[in-house]
Amino acid sequence: MSKPPSLQIYPGKGLGFLILGASLHDILTRIKAQPHIYPTIDVVYSPRRPLAEPVVLNLPVNGLRLRFDGPDQRLRLIEVHDFMRTQLSYKNLDLVKLPDAKSSPPTYSISSSPTGPIFRHVYNRLMGPTFPGEYLPPTSGSKSGKGLYVLSYPGIAFTFPLQDSEWSPNIDFVSLLSSNAASPAKSLAIFNGSSWQEARRDIMVRTCPNPRSLALSSRGKEIRPDEIDLVKIRGGGKIEMIRRSSLPFIITLSETTPQDLIAELGPPNAIYRKNDRRLSIHKSHGRQRTAYQRPYSASPAKYDDLTDTDQSSTHTATDESDGEDDPISTNENHGDLSAECFYNYFHHGLDVFISYPTSPSPSFPSPPSENSLSTGAKNVDHVVATKILLHANVPGSYPFNRYRRSRWVIDSPALQHLDNSLTSETSFTDLSRSLKQVWKSSYASESEEISLQRGMVLNRGWGDSPGSSCELLGGWEESADTQRKGATNTAFNGGPGSGNTELFGFPGLVFEVLKNDVVSCLTIY
């Protein structure tokens, strides 16, 4: 890195292209595309609670730390902890004048005492007057004898080390921070709020004023499709897309056309031709058993739905089918399978399988009515949306950062009696327990219930993960062969069985579950 990057500060909004409210997927994708500027990326997360605890991106070479909330994975806090690693400016005024590239240190290690802007520069030239801040005394074990004074402005705060012996609440902060008792700023924080004292109380849960997509945050005149805030699963093949500012869009499986999808969601980021036949033996067995299955049995899933184990191409826009002859496909009503494909919407966090219509899954159990019965496949000769896959973007999982995180809720009157909502953040143990109660009356016997709730193991660990260029500091699903040793920060190198997930099914739903009980992907059919 011959020259440090230059970024403009926008209080309450962001730092350069790092916009508050942007998704982890967008930010990390943008950073990974510039390895000459951001050569080291550390992803810190909780292995046991990756969706409940914040996710942190450390950029040690650049002196930056980015904090995202766990459930929605949106950028909530930008921290600068080394002012000598990135050229920062506010309204075209530099915070710190960096040395020339020729005289910069040859290594990228973080400075032990980074030099930030002095108080006079911040108060007189950059930001101007503000209200008194907050003094934090040194901890009991501190040997420096210095506390920290947090000086807040709307959307931005500076932290100045201050000699504890000189601190007095009776002396105005301008005099204190202008004296020799204060050192240059140690760190800087950019956030959404009127002050740091006010914002820190709920910084990870407050409403974000900016969209998740960096493209939508830009001021370009190009019209882009609105982003999806939440997916509501209604049952019976009905999926409602709640959007940020537009009206909701309802997808009806086996009815919604590719033209409808493009009109509402925009063109897909990639198109993937279905060519994974590793589970076709189960597909064949599934067809054989349909002759004697009860019409509305709570089978975990049609085995067709369990065969779609890889829904996107990592590197290419279109991955053509291998064209291998499939004896099973000759029994299909539609012999031409060339039109079948996945629409990959990485920025929406979902895939849509395009194929010929199939029989819709039954609605959630409710009092007997004609509307609750399956009506069978529509007799049409064109392709439609038949499945939707919602991706969780769980840190440490195999497909991490291939998709933006998609949040969902199972929303049906049949679930109103439950104590808690069934959402993308709910553990699979709780999801399974609740769904078993909902569908219990549909099982013929207890043995059938046990038989149909067996998980199918799926290997995700062979080959490079899409996020393998990141240093994962949270461990990877702490199995016996990937256990962290001490506090060593090492990237996940894989191991026997370390990439395994399990598939569990309910009528209309297939859950891909990680070893920490987190749902990595939900398929709706």
Side-chain angles (χ1 to χ4, degrees):
M1 188 173 64
S2 59
K3 183 180 180 181
S6 179
L7 298 175
Q8 281 280 341
I9 294 175
Y10 304 99
K13 184 177 181 182
L15 178 65
F17 69 91
L18 304 171
I19 304 298
L20 293 173
S23 70
L24 172 62
H25 171 260
D26 266 30
I27 295 291
L28 188 51
T29 300
R30 180 78 174 266
I31 291 175
K32 288 172 62 178
Q34 306 176 74
H36 59 292
I37 298 178
Y38 305 99
T40 304
I41 308 170
D42 295 339
V43 182
V44 183
Y45 64 97
S46 169
R48 299 188 184 278
R49 305 179 66 213
L51 302 182
E53 301 295 334
V55 180
V56 180
L57 291 188
N58 280 328
L59 306 175
V61 172
N62 311 94
L64 303 177
R65 181 165 52 230
L66 313 177
R67 296 184 184 269
F68 300 77
D69 69 271
D72 209 8
Q73 295 186 348
R74 303 182 72 174
L75 181 58
R76 302 289 186 162
L77 178 63
I78 302 170
E79 298 173 278
V80 179
H81 53 79
D82 191 337
F83 292 92
M84 305 305 291
R85 297 294 168 182
T86 299
Q87 181 66 67
L88 305 176
S89 57
Y90 175 68
K91 294 184 176 179
N92 296 322
L93 292 176
D94 293 337
L95 262 68
V96 176
K97 189 68 174 178
L98 300 186
D100 296 335
K102 294 181 180 180
S103 59
S104 61
T107 63
Y108 295 132
S109 59
I110 299 175
S111 305
S112 58
S113 56
T115 302
I118 62 174
F119 170 75
R120 290 177 180 270
H121 183 58
V122 173
Y123 202 76
N124 292 336
R125 298 195 61 192
L126 293 175
M127 301 294 172
T130 188
F131 296 102
E134 178 183 20
Y135 178 70
L136 305 175
T139 59
S140 57
S142 175
K143 298 181 179 179
S144 65
K146 293 184 178 181
L148 297 175
Y149 193 93
V150 181
L151 184 67
S152 291
Y153 293 87
I156 191 171
F158 297 83
T159 301
F160 295 92
L162 180 66
Q163 287 289 345
D164 185 60
S165 59
E166 300 296 324
W167 161 251
S168 171
N170 300 321
I171 304 177
D172 68 271
F173 74 96
V174 175
S175 299
L176 280 174
L177 296 180
S178 300
S179 68
N180 293 331
S183 302
K186 179 181 180 180
S187 62
L188 166 111
I190 300 174
F191 52 87
N192 173 32
S194 59
S195 69
W196 175 243
Q197 293 91 326
E198 178 266 337
R200 68 185 178 189
R201 295 194 298 265
D202 59 352
I203 193 169
M204 291 293 170
V205 297
R206 60 173 47 197
T207 302
C208 294
N210 302 314
R212 297 172 180 80
S213 171
L214 292 175
L216 292 175
S217 298
S218 64
R219 298 180 180 180
K221 296 181 179 180
E222 182 180 353
I223 299 177
R224 300 179 183 273
D226 200 1
E227 66 184 16
I228 299 172
D229 276 341
L230 182 68
V231 178
K232 291 187 176 182
I233 303 164
R234 302 294 191 185
K238 301 284 186 181
I239 302 103
E240 183 178 6
M241 304 286 182
I242 306 300
R243 294 184 281 194
R244 181 171 178 266
S245 55
S246 306
L247 293 175
F249 166 51
I250 296 180
I251 294 178
T252 303
L253 298 182
S254 292
E255 292 185 16
T256 299
T257 66
Q259 292 77 13
D260 296 331
L261 294 173
I262 293 174
E264 298 290 345
L265 304 179
N269 301 107
I271 296 177
Y272 178 72
R273 303 293 175 184
K274 180 181 176 184
N275 63 357
D276 191 340
R277 308 182 189 280
R278 289 173 293 175
L279 300 181
S280 60
I281 185 173
H282 298 288
K283 181 187 296 186
S284 176
H285 177 65
R287 289 197 178 95
Q288 293 171 6
R289 64 198 292 261
T290 55
Y292 56 85
Q293 260 189 338
R294 293 181 297 120
Y296 307 114
S297 173
S299 62
K302 293 176 292 185
Y303 281 96
D304 294 13
D305 302 290
L306 296 180
T307 63
D308 300 324
T309 58
D310 197 1
Q311 306 86 20
S312 65
S313 173
T314 306
H315 305 291
T316 61
T318 303
D319 188 3
E320 294 293 337
S321 172
D322 57 7
E324 178 184 351
D325 292 334
D326 186 356
I328 297 171
S329 66
T330 61
N331 296 327
E332 295 286 352
N333 293 331
H334 302 279
D336 181 13
L337 299 181
S338 60
E340 292 190 345
C341 63
F342 284 97
Y343 278 13
N344 304 136
Y345 287 98
F346 303 127
H347 60 287
H348 287 313
L350 56 88
D351 297 315
V352 183
F353 184 53
I354 306 298
S355 67
Y356 291 98
T358 59
S359 298
S361 58
S363 301
F364 291 103
S366 59
S369 67
E370 188 175 345
N371 293 333
S372 65
L373 301 180
S374 177
T375 58
K378 302 291 183 180
N379 187 19
V380 295
D381 58 356
H382 57 79
V383 293
V384 291
T386 57
K387 303 171 193 172
I388 293 182
L389 298 94
L390 306 177
H391 299 275
N393 195 35
V394 181
S397 64
Y398 172 81
F400 175 61
N401 206 51
R402 187 183 294 189
Y403 297 84
R404 194 205 87 189
R405 174 164 171 76
S406 178
R407 303 186 75 183
W408 48 263
V409 59
I410 302 177
D411 189 15
S412 170
L415 306 177
Q416 291 179 354
H417 68 283
L418 300 178
D419 295 333
N420 299 306
S421 299
L422 304 184
T423 71
S424 48
E425 288 75 56
T426 306
S427 68
F428 180 72
T429 298
D430 293 338
L431 284 167
S432 178
R433 183 186 304 115
S434 298
L435 290 176
K436 285 178 181 178
Q437 294 177 7
V438 171
W439 289 101
K440 191 172 185 63
S441 61
S442 300
Y443 296 108
S445 64
E446 183 178 354
S447 59
E448 181 191 44
E449 178 181 357
I450 296 174
S451 173
L452 294 178
Q453 292 305 321
R454 292 178 301 170
M456 179 181 290
V457 177
L458 178 65
N459 184 276
R460 291 292 197 190
W462 294 344
D464 290 336
S465 163
S468 58
S469 63
C470 301
E471 188 88 0
L472 299 176
L473 304 185
W476 199 98
E477 304 207 294
E478 299 179 351
S479 58
D481 47 7
T482 58
Q483 197 82 22
R484 292 177 67 197
K485 297 182 179 180
T488 304
N489 293 338
T490 58
F492 168 63
N493 294 318
S498 58
N500 292 351
T501 61
E502 285 190 278
L503 300 177
F504 296 90
F506 292 89
L509 304 172
V510 178
F511 297 88
E512 183 176 349
V513 185
L514 303 174
K515 295 172 185 174
N516 54 11
D517 207 28
V518 172
V519 176
S520 175
C521 179
L522 171 60
T523 299
I524 310 165
Y525 65 91

